[in-house]
Amino acid sequence: MTSLPPVTAEVAAAALESLPTRLRKRADSAAAKAANWPVTATDATVVVRVDDATTVTLTTTAGVVTSAEDAVCSCLLAPACLHRAAVLTLAPLAEETDGPETTAVVPSDADDSTPVPPPVPPETGALRLTLPQSAAVHALRAAATAVLAAGVSGSGAVHRATLLHGAHSARVAGLHRAAAAAVRVARRLSEAGTGDPAFRLPELASELAELLTVADGLGRAPDPDLIGTARRAYVANGSLRLRGLFTEPVVTASGYAGAVTYALAQDGRLRSLSDVAPGDADRARQAAGSAVPGGSALTLRELGDHGGAILTDPTVSPDGRIGGGGAVRSVQASGARWHEEPLDTLWRRSPADQVAAALRWSAEPAEERDAGGDLLFLTGTITGGGFAVDGGPTVRLLAPDERPELPYVENLRLLAGAHGLSMRLVARLAADRPSGVRALAAAWQGADGDPIRADLGLRRLNRTHLPRAGRAVIPSTPAPTLPTELDLLRRAVDRAVAGGRAVTAAVADGELPRRLATVGLTTGAACARALVDTASDRRHDALGRLRPADPEAYARAWLASSTYASAATASLLTAAWAPEGDRDPA
């Protein structure tokens, strides 16, 4: 079946508005049926055939449904019909793509003549929210709390629509970080609802914690960092001398695909160039062949494969992403191999320092993270136990994407058998699997002694790329591990998101607080105890009646547990990557 095109958050939020209450309750079951309706597509139109007499037609702009009027059903009840609502509910949420050409979609109900009221900075230095901003924060917190209480299993189209309505109100009020977090939570819930294989429960838990954290902060003493920015501002950069590092295929659950090339600029900062648009894994492979902006014959993949380029008058966002624009010009230039300057400096940083920097990066607001700030540049050897990092632990090499269209899994399986092979690696931490890293690109000496560098998601390797002779197997240090009790708390946090408050109460482990306290994690024990108590707290009043549940208390306890588990994991993971002589013996 042809995939549905992405729709903007505003269109998705309005999908249920025109339905009467009795039909809204049927939206989830209708969306489940819509998954089996045949879809055909032309360049700018997607037609969903409900039956022989009914069709839903979606008109796209740059591959995205940007207006409620672009979704039309042929039935007599349209637009207040379940057919249209089901299709829009099932469609993935659109994402903002990089580049100055990206235009913001203005919702039809927005008043363009009314400026967004900025937060008021009083003399104390703290921000004071306007009434619309306070209302938006309250709505988002209530929506997030409802999702947490219901869990993934109990959250449906109405929960997602409520989140998206809150996101729209927050965006109009100028609270961009909160709005973006709400959209990401809604997107993860959509992935879970459609059974998308890309759905990851820890990612949803992380996004939900971000939304609650921002809403809590804005509701107490607003900090400017909690406001966020509308979108990345691209500014002219003069000229850039780039030396390519690697190219990564990108396929998102929201219906976008493409390629991102990372390069090192003359100032020592990483930059990225991308071509990402609505599409699937096939588009990701094709996008790697897109030209570098500015008229150069160099492709993104060629730039990433030891290539170089000089760009004049490019536009660059503060976080290092390079846009296009009519003024940019580019010419091919000499590149460098990973063992050559200036790229070699990336691998000379200690693994522990790199891991600490990547963890700090992950704690920053998503829209403010520097391009490539999560990348690890590691040197090591393939052993029977995994990849033994020089100056660090032995880690498992994990596939960033397990789709069969991308060769990650096949390539890593081949490399895992090359015991004794020394190589350099570009990878990312795996937050949910601390004993491994997600391998993106690698370089080593081939069978004939020539260097080989491979983008592991784009280049399909075979045995001829590996040295013929066996190599000595070196001893390896243990893989990073976390205390079992902390892992149990992390799982409890994720399980709460999956099943909601009722399931948390039913399966709450009263032993977990005691076990955490026994190993010295006393704060974690207090968090776990609060989570268990608030999940199962159904006390009676003086007349013997059950008191209503307190979802706010439960949300606060869950957020505290989530925040503690993340901070403790980051601290222990940093220590696990430290050289043996620098590790705390405790």
Side-chain angles (χ1 to χ4, degrees):
M1 185 182 81
T2 302
S3 299
L4 292 173
V7 304
T8 62
E10 290 74 23
V11 172
L16 302 181
E17 272 191 352
S18 59
L19 296 181
T21 303
R22 62 181 180 82
L23 291 183
R24 292 185 189 183
K25 297 178 181 179
R26 297 167 51 191
D28 287 309
S29 59
K33 293 179 181 178
N36 297 316
W37 295 341
V39 181
T40 57
T42 61
D43 289 342
T45 303
V46 175
V47 178
V48 182
R49 184 166 296 280
V50 180
D51 53 41
D52 292 340
T54 308
T55 59
V56 177
T57 302
L58 306 178
T59 303
T60 62
T61 302
V64 178
V65 180
T66 60
S67 169
E69 290 73 25
D70 292 335
V72 179
C73 182
S74 63
C75 78
L76 296 177
L77 295 179
C81 66
L82 268 178
H83 309 125
R84 177 179 176 276
V87 170
L88 291 177
T89 298
L90 190 64
L93 291 176
E95 298 180 358
E96 281 196 3
T97 55
D98 290 339
E101 300 83 8
T102 303
T103 56
V105 178
V106 180
S108 58
D109 59 343
D111 182 3
D112 294 344
S113 64
T114 303
V116 173
V120 180
E123 295 180 359
T124 60
L127 297 178
R128 186 173 66 250
L129 299 184
T130 63
L131 288 178
Q133 289 169 336
S134 295
V137 169
H138 178 76
L140 278 181
R141 176 161 182 85
T145 299
V147 168
L148 186 58
V152 172
S153 58
S155 296
V158 174
H159 288 86
R160 296 194 295 273
T162 303
L163 276 169
L164 293 174
H165 275 297
H168 171 56
S169 298
R171 186 179 294 114
V172 170
L175 303 177
H176 305 291
R177 183 174 171 183
V183 171
R184 291 195 298 271
V185 171
R187 182 176 293 120
R188 300 298 186 200
L189 289 173
S190 296
E191 295 170 9
T194 57
D196 195 303
F199 172 71
R200 297 290 184 271
L201 182 60
E203 293 179 359
L204 172 58
S206 176
E207 301 291 7
L208 193 55
E210 159 78 356
L211 177 55
L212 285 169
T213 298
V214 173
D216 276 352
L218 289 172
R220 292 196 305 268
D223 184 282
D225 290 340
L226 298 175
I227 301 301
T229 56
R231 60 189 297 267
R232 285 185 287 269
Y234 286 78
V235 297
N237 194 85
S239 65
L240 277 176
R241 174 70 165 91
L242 300 176
R243 291 177 175 85
L245 279 163
F246 74 101
T247 300
E248 176 185 11
V250 175
V251 185
T252 72
S254 55
Y256 284 73
V260 179
T261 292
Y262 291 89
L264 188 68
Q266 68 268 28
D267 61 1
R269 287 186 61 194
L270 293 179
R271 301 288 197 276
S272 68
L273 301 94
S274 64
D275 178 1
V276 179
D280 54 17
D282 288 336
R283 191 192 184 279
R285 294 194 298 269
Q286 296 166 3
S290 300
V292 171
S296 170
L298 195 68
T299 67
L300 292 178
R301 188 169 183 175
E302 289 170 341
L303 174 61
D305 189 8
H306 304 312
I310 298 175
L311 277 64
T312 57
D313 297 322
T315 53
V316 183
S317 67
D319 51 9
R321 291 165 175 82
I322 299 174
V328 63
R329 295 292 180 269
S330 63
V331 295
Q332 189 169 349
S334 60
R337 296 189 179 274
W338 287 1
H339 286 81
E340 300 171 346
E341 293 293 345
L343 302 187
D344 183 62
T345 58
L346 297 172
W347 277 266
R348 291 206 299 266
R349 292 177 59 200
S350 76
D353 289 346
Q354 294 188 56
V355 167
L359 290 170
R360 289 194 299 270
W361 178 93
S362 65
E364 295 174 353
E367 62 274 13
E368 297 178 10
R369 297 169 180 168
D370 286 343
D374 57 338
L375 297 177
L376 304 178
F377 302 91
L378 308 174
T379 302
T381 306
I382 297 292
T383 71
F387 182 67
V389 179
D390 293 353
T394 297
V395 293
R396 294 184 59 197
L397 299 185
L398 308 173
D401 193 313
E402 297 182 359
R403 290 178 176 84
E405 298 91 341
L406 303 178
Y408 281 118
V409 173
E410 182 181 337
N411 287 340
L412 292 178
R413 187 178 296 120
L414 182 67
L415 289 174
H419 296 175
L421 176 64
S422 297
M423 67 181 189
R424 285 193 165 183
L425 186 74
V426 181
R428 289 192 180 96
L429 286 175
D432 56 332
R433 301 175 69 180
S435 62
V437 295
R438 305 197 187 280
L440 301 167
W444 64 90
Q445 292 293 116
D448 53 5
D450 290 337
I452 292 179
R453 196 205 62 80
D455 297 323
L456 297 175
L458 293 171
R459 182 178 182 180
R460 201 171 296 274
L461 302 172
N462 56 59
R463 295 191 179 279
T464 65
H465 295 114
L466 300 177
R468 298 188 185 91
R471 303 193 179 204
V473 178
I474 65 170
S476 57
T477 56
T481 58
L482 300 178
T484 301
E485 293 75 14
L486 178 59
D487 190 51
L488 289 174
L489 178 60
R490 284 158 47 95
R491 293 184 186 184
V493 167
D494 292 346
R495 186 173 59 240
V497 175
R501 182 178 181 274
V503 171
T504 302
V507 301
D509 183 4
E511 284 293 299
L512 181 56
R514 184 191 62 79
R515 294 183 63 176
L516 286 163
T518 299
V519 296
L521 302 176
T522 54
T523 302
C527 291
R529 189 174 299 108
L531 181 62
V532 171
D533 290 345
T534 56
S536 56
D537 180 19
R538 294 305 306 276
R539 290 171 292 180
H540 295 74
D541 62 16
L543 298 178
R545 297 171 299 191
L546 270 179
R547 291 179 177 177
D550 186 355
E552 287 288 336
Y554 175 66
R556 288 193 298 270
W558 178 87
L559 181 59
S561 297
S562 174
T563 302
Y564 173 83
S566 296
T569 298
S571 176
L572 293 173
L573 197 57
T574 302
W577 276 77
E580 286 192 43
D582 296 339
R583 296 179 189 171
D584 187 343

